Amino acid sequence: MSRSEQAIFTNLCMICDGAGNILVQDRRDPDWPGICFPGGHVEPGESFVESVIREVWEETGLTIENPKLCGTKQFQTDDNERYVVFFYKTDRFSGSLKSSDEGEVFWIPRDTLANYRLSIDFEDMVRIMESDDLSEFYYYTENGDWKLKLL
C-alpha cells in the first residue's frame, strides 16, 4: 500500500511591528472573506520559507526576513487531498506597505483583533501561532460532521 497522497501546501504569516501591532489583510475572496494574515500557495518546487516570503511580498509590498514556523493547519478536501497551511511569524521586514488584489492590508493593535470581522476560524489559528503549548489546527470528520482539534 502506498503511503503517498495528494496534498496542497499553503502558508499564512503573522507580521508584528514590535510595538504591539500586527499586519492584517481584509480578504476579498468570497469563499473565505474577512480579516486574516497575508499568505498563499506554495508553488511546485518552491521551498516553504521562500513561498511565504514571496506571498507576503506579493500581497503587502513588504520583504520579510527570518519567518519562523509556528504551527500548521490541515484538513482533507472534498477531492481527498490533504490541505496544509504552514503558520509563520516574524518581526523583521522592510519595504513600503501596499495592498493587492487579494485585499487591503493595514496595521492594527493586536489587542483589537476581536473588533474586526474575521475569516472563519481565524481566532483559533492565531491561538496556534501565539501558543507555546499548541502547534496544530486539525479538522477531521466523524459521522459526517466536521470536528476540530487544537493540538
Side-chain angles (χ1 to χ4, degrees):
M1 181 172 146
S2 174
R3 293 183 180 262
S4 67
E5 64 181 303
Q6 294 293 315
I8 299 169
F9 298 114
T10 64
N11 56 61
L12 289 175
C13 189
M14 172 189 271
I15 305 167
C16 306
D17 72 354
N21 298 307
I22 56 175
L23 185 66
V24 295
Q25 180 179 62
D26 191 3
R27 295 177 45 83
R28 293 190 179 118
D29 184 344
D31 293 329
W32 198 50
I35 296 295
C36 193
F37 294 132
H41 285 83
V42 178
E43 299 297 332
E46 185 177 36
S47 82
F48 298 136
V49 169
E50 290 171 327
S51 74
V52 75
I53 292 169
R54 175 187 53 76
E55 283 289 347
V56 167
W57 181 81
E58 288 175 358
E59 295 183 6
T60 71
L62 300 180
T63 300
I64 60 170
E65 296 177 31
N66 202 28
K68 296 292 185 191
L69 186 64
C70 58
T72 61
K73 174 183 178 179
Q74 63 172 312
F75 58 91
Q76 293 298 122
T77 69
D78 290 338
D79 294 326
N80 203 31
E81 302 155 314
R82 184 179 298 251
Y83 196 102
V84 180
V85 185
F86 294 103
F87 296 153
Y88 289 91
K89 60 184 172 184
T90 188
D91 60 0
R92 296 176 54 191
F93 58 90
S94 60
S96 298
L97 191 63
K98 66 176 172 128
S99 297
S100 72
D101 292 342
E102 298 287 332
E104 181 185 359
V105 290
F106 51 95
W107 295 98
I108 64 169
R110 166 60 185 96
D111 60 3
T112 67
L113 185 62
N115 299 340
Y116 292 85
R117 182 180 66 109
L118 306 176
S119 295
I120 296 170
D121 297 327
F122 188 57
E123 287 177 293
D124 285 326
M125 287 186 267
V126 172
R127 276 186 62 201
I128 297 292
M129 293 172 136
E130 294 180 332
S131 175
D132 291 331
D133 299 319
L134 298 171
S135 63
E136 184 176 3
F137 178 114
Y138 179 63
Y139 269 123
Y140 65 100
T141 56
E142 185 174 274
N143 300 322
D145 294 324
W146 284 102
K147 305 285 184 176
L148 170 63
K149 287 183 190 177
L150 299 182
L151 307 163

